Amino acid sequence: MLFELRDVAFHYEDGTPALNGIDASIAAGDRLVILGANGSGKSTLLRILAGLEFPTGGSIRWDGTDLSEKSLRDASLRTDFRTRVGFVFQNADAQLFNATVQEEIEFGPRQMGLREPEVRERTTDIMRMLGIQHLAERPPFRLSGGEKRKVAMASVLSMNPDVILMDEPFLGLDPRSQSWLLKTLQILSASGKTTILATHTLDLVPQVSDRTWVLDETHHLIADAASVDVLRDLGRLRRANLTALEEATV
Amino acid sequence: MPLAPSLAVPDWMRTPNPVVASGRAPSRWLNQTVAKIRRTYARTIAFESVARARHGVSQMNPVAKAISFLSLLVAASVVRSPEVLAAVAGLGLVSALSARMPLISLLSRVVGSAAFFGLVLAIPVATAWVTPGIEAARLGEIAVTWPGLERGGCLLARLATAILIASVWQSTTRWNDILGSLARLGVPEIFITMAQMTYRFLFILLETLGDMTQAREARQISGYRAQGSRAYAGAGSAILFAKSATTAHEVQMAIEARGGMAKSVLLRNPGWSKTDFVVLAVCLTFLVLSIASGVTHAF
Ligand SMILES: Nc1ncnc2c1ncn2[C@@H]1O[C@H](COP(=O)(O)OP(=O)(O)OP(=O)(O)O)[C@@H](O)[C@H]1O
Ligand SMILES: [Mg+2]
């Protein structure tokens, strides 16, 4: 198993609960979607999977080893984890910290110790893939919302992680970019990558996932099943507050 | 001209990464420092809940409180007798207790800031260069004198008291009410606006900094060589400021879109109660006492 979560709970420093008793696991090659209403804990769960926050209760294992603030201090675990797990933040603004788009995309590959020509090759390829070559010299924090999201995605894809965590990846993309992302995710998982997306838009779920987790508003995992079955079980979605008003009141 | 996205997935993306040499573990310093600053920030928000919960001085009329605390601040800076200074500090502690402030974190904040200023102010003052007199101790070139120690110590005590009082005022009053009451007392709007903007900018700066370190953490694999680290610290802070400025500008626009420049209005403006008058009288008495103490004592 890539990830094993045992009774994971999380609350923020001010006491706000975000996750409760999460028991689940993720295998290599899974295509997983995490559904849940606003504030149900999706982003928090992704940050825990990305090793940026650590459970305040229970434990999480990565590839058989315990994942904690302490264990990630070990250089070899850290290298393995950070090169194999990529995370695209919900708020692209928060994710960009370099002076230009090009440097932003080069940061990861350079960190990995790739040689300069390879770093350049990856950056060029990625910018071409996303159609953002014209932004190369711009400062990332002065782009449009959708452009920022593409740069954020590019900066993670350039590291070629095995596990791709994306928080609300379709948000703010124009229709052409949305269908591009959809197809790209399909190609990536066909080549063996694990994709884990958080969302509350139901219509794209069948196309990007085989399995779906549903978090309810008390931050519990109330479903872990095949996406088609979860989508069919409207009662459960209603309990998680995921259907529109008129549907929910039927 | 923007180009269409392409579905040609490059070969390197279809195969696993080459094995990467694992470097040194990165320095935890930056992350830990930011985490610490964020904790302080969380605590400040917790204090805002002290200001909202109505106990003791937090339920005073903001204007009465502003006059009271300002006179205590003036008292702490002009007082010349140690006893009166101690009494002023005691008054600060009592008002903190009345508002049920968490004492430990208040005191650690006061001691922390006083220690910081102590390093930059009190220690130089204690040396023979600034305050000549009988030598008390010597460390190589640096000689510390008895009168210097007394002056330095006095400076520190005054400072700690002032910080204590300012902290209690700030923690038991919502920021808007502090600014609003200052405006009532005739402080020019321009200063109030500047204080408002600084405060807001500071918070945005902290949030942006937190985001940036977490984002970096997510993509950082190995430690930096010292040189790269310095370069990052330099470039990083420039970007941090540019980013925060962009966000602050957006916040500014959001305020304008919702009805113009935020005026400093009192969120809470109850009439003056008996307590307000009593506290004010006590504080003014201390102010008079500390001014008078200057005539009688030499502290
Ligand atoms: N930094 C924080 N400090 C305190 N509480 C937080 C923080 N971030 C999130 N929360 C709280 O934790 C809970 C879970 O938040 P989270 O961001 O994981 O939700 P989400 O499912 O991603 O929601 P959305 O669909 O709106 O993105 C919410 O109640 C939220 O208010
Ligand atoms: Mg979220």
Side-chain angles (χ1 to χ4, degrees), chain A residues 12 14 16-18 37-44 47 90 200 219:
Chain A
Y12 283 95
D14 59 1
T16 315
N38 293 137
S40 57
K42 304 181 295 297
S43 298
T44 309
R47 276 200 290 271
Q90 177 167 13
H200 35 68
H219 319 293

Side-chain angles (χ1 to χ4, degrees), chain A residues 31-222:
Chain A
R31 297 200 306 152
L32 177 71
V33 154
I34 305 174
L35 285 179
N38 293 137
S40 57
K42 304 181 295 297
S43 298
T44 309
L45 186 51
L46 284 185
R47 276 200 290 271
I48 286 178
L49 292 174
L52 295 172
E53 306 275 10
F54 301 92
T56 48
S59 66
I60 175 169
R61 292 171 81 77
W62 151 259
D63 220 358
T65 38
D66 197 54
L67 202 58
S68 68
E69 200 160 6
K70 195 151 160 259
S71 67
L72 267 185
R73 239 171 270 171
D74 174 71
S76 68
L77 177 66
R78 187 188 173 85
T79 307
D80 179 59
F81 185 77
R82 293 277 177 240
T83 44
R84 286 173 61 196
V85 180
F87 178 37
V88 182
F89 288 46
Q90 177 167 13
N91 173 9
D93 248 322
Q95 191 182 341
L96 307 171
F97 54 86
N98 286 280
T100 67
V101 168
Q102 174 149 355
E103 283 170 27
E104 191 73 57
I105 300 173
E106 287 170 349
F107 181 89
R110 198 166 278 148
Q111 277 283 303
M112 292 165 60
L114 296 182
R115 283 176 296 111
E116 247 353 76
E118 279 175 274
V119 172
R120 287 291 149 86
E121 181 201 348
R122 285 192 175 197
T123 309
T124 317
D125 285 347
I126 283 287
M127 289 200 288
R128 189 176 305 133
M129 258 180 97
L130 278 133
I132 53 173
Q133 301 95 309
H134 60 294
L135 303 177
E137 298 303 321
R138 302 266 304 276
F141 52 88
R142 288 210 189 103
L143 300 176
S144 82
E147 287 167 345
K148 278 181 199 160
R149 294 202 62 97
K150 289 184 198 170
V151 175
M153 237 169 249
S155 69
V156 169
L157 290 179
S158 65
M159 294 176 77
N160 188 31
D162 298 341
V163 182
I164 303 171
L165 304 161
M166 289 188 173
D167 202 346
E168 294 288 352
F170 295 100
L171 205 81
L173 294 183
D174 59 36
R176 187 175 65 182
S177 309
Q178 276 197 15
S179 66
W180 169 83
L181 178 59
L182 207 66
K183 293 204 189 85
T184 303
L185 281 172
Q186 283 162 354
I187 295 172
L188 289 177
S189 63
S191 62
K193 309 231 180 262
T194 311
T195 57
I196 304 170
L197 319 181
T199 183
H200 35 68
T201 44
L202 297 180
D203 30 329
L204 293 172
V205 172
Q207 301 177 64
V208 293
S209 69
D210 304 314
R211 225 167 106 210
T212 295
W213 291 359
V214 181
L215 286 172
D216 71 359
E217 290 178 310
T218 62
H219 319 293
H220 286 91
L221 189 63
I222 55 164

Side-chain angles (χ1 to χ4, degrees), chain B residues 5 24 34 37 84 135 190 200 221-222 269 275 289:
Chain B
R24 288 178 298 123
V34 171
I37 297 174
V84 180
E135 207 172 290
I190 176 82
R200 197 175 289 139
I221 289 150
S222 56
N269 192 13
T275 331
L289 265 182

